[in-house]
Amino acid sequence: MRWLHRAFVALIYFFMLCPLLFVVWLSFFKDAILYFPPSGYTLSWYVKAWDNSAFANGFLFSMQVALIAAVCGVALGVLAALGIIRHRFRGSQAVNTLLLSPLLVPGIVAGVAIYLFYLRAENTLDMDIVGTYGGLVLAHVCLTIPWTVRLVSASMSGLDPSIEEAARNLGASGRVAFFRVTLPMLRPAIVAAALFSFIVSFENLELSLSLVGPGRTTLPIAIMQYLEFNLDPTIAAVASVQILMLGIVMLVTDRYVKLSQVV
């Protein structure tokens, strides 16, 4: 039964990882028109992806937006989680539900809703919002806040309040106790929130599609535009680089902060 259980678990993992393995395998196919079995293998699609300026610019732009959105979203999400868990007030559950609602709304619906909201705000404020860098970053911040609120709230609920009380009894003020006792204990949740916020923002397509301005294209949009006229394995090469990059980030993060303790 033990070997049967291990085989079943291995089968489940293979089923979950099979799409990723297939994409990586596809990126080495020699043929521009995909068919099985391939006539050979090559690395030329990685070279072609590297020479494509749309992918390079989209990667840098997505990296910039994701980093800013993750930092701002984590900062605001930690404050929101602190207010909801530590300072109960009337309507706190409603605020918590509102902050977590983007996790339940389909991405395309959220993208259209924010686009329409920006149009109405432009008419009211008489200023450009759609297509601006600030409007795109603000939308991505709203996308990342729920991850921080969910992870930090769950971690904060599991903390022993007597530890912070002991620091207060030893003469520490509320601010000192929070920054030197509570915040270090929340470090795994904060790091995990930053990691997931970065990934969600970096890989987002639906929200960015209607908000990017001329001359600014994120990597997912660049991939979608390439697929309109090409079906060669270049996209698989780009996707394989993303998988490798995000995998390395998660492994390095898990090396210093155990994500299994939070997620």
Side-chain angles (χ1 to χ4, degrees):
M1 293 299 296
R2 181 181 302 175
W3 285 105
L4 183 62
H5 176 264
R6 291 179 179 178
F8 179 75
V9 172
L11 183 63
I12 294 298
Y13 272 106
F14 176 77
F15 178 77
M16 295 172 60
L17 297 176
C18 188
L20 302 181
L21 299 176
F22 181 76
V23 169
V24 175
W25 181 35
L26 193 67
S27 66
F28 295 103
F29 280 21
K30 183 178 180 180
D31 309 292
I33 300 177
L34 302 177
Y35 65 90
F36 293 93
S39 61
Y41 297 96
T42 181
L43 294 174
S44 61
W45 306 116
Y46 287 89
V47 177
K48 184 178 180 180
W50 179 264
D51 293 335
N52 192 316
S53 60
F55 292 146
N57 296 333
F59 176 83
L60 294 177
F61 187 67
S62 294
M63 183 74 69
Q64 184 181 18
V65 172
L67 287 174
I68 297 176
V71 172
C72 296
V74 168
L76 296 175
V78 169
L79 295 176
L82 179 64
I84 293 172
I85 300 300
R86 290 295 178 88
H87 305 283
R88 296 288 182 177
F89 56 91
R90 182 178 298 179
S92 60
Q93 290 298 326
V95 173
N96 186 41
T97 303
L98 177 64
L99 292 175
L100 296 179
S101 59
L103 297 176
L104 306 176
V105 179
I108 189 65
V109 175
V112 173
I114 293 178
Y115 175 72
L116 295 177
F117 173 77
Y118 278 179
L119 290 180
R120 178 162 296 186
E122 284 183 344
N123 296 330
T124 303
L125 302 176
D126 193 20
M127 60 180 297
D128 294 332
I129 302 178
V130 177
T132 62
Y133 182 74
L136 178 63
V137 171
L138 181 60
H140 277 248
V141 170
C142 296
L143 184 69
T144 58
I145 287 178
W147 293 92
T148 304
V149 173
R150 183 68 185 91
L151 292 172
V152 175
S153 297
S155 181
M156 193 174 294
S157 299
L159 294 181
D160 187 1
S162 61
I163 300 177
E164 187 173 345
E165 292 176 2
R168 298 288 298 274
N169 292 333
L170 293 174
S173 62
R175 179 179 300 178
V176 173
F178 174 76
F179 281 102
R180 294 193 176 184
V181 178
T182 304
L183 197 60
M185 291 190 296
L186 293 176
R187 185 181 64 176
I190 294 175
V191 173
L195 174 63
F196 283 102
S197 297
F198 174 81
I199 294 175
V200 168
S201 176
F202 186 85
E203 297 289 342
N204 181 267
L205 172 64
E206 301 88 351
L207 200 67
S208 306
L209 192 58
S210 56
L211 300 179
V212 293
R216 290 176 176 153
T217 303
T218 61
L219 183 59
I221 295 179
I223 292 175
M224 185 193 69
Q225 292 174 345
Y226 186 87
L227 284 174
E228 291 180 359
F229 306 100
N230 303 274
L231 291 175
D232 55 49
T234 304
I235 296 300
V238 176
S240 299
V241 174
Q242 292 185 71
I243 293 171
L244 178 62
M245 182 192 72
L246 296 178
I248 292 175
V249 170
M250 294 190 69
L251 289 176
V252 172
T253 304
D254 189 68
R255 173 65 176 81
Y256 297 99
V257 177
K258 294 299 181 181
L259 298 178
S260 59
Q261 298 177 0
V262 183
V263 182

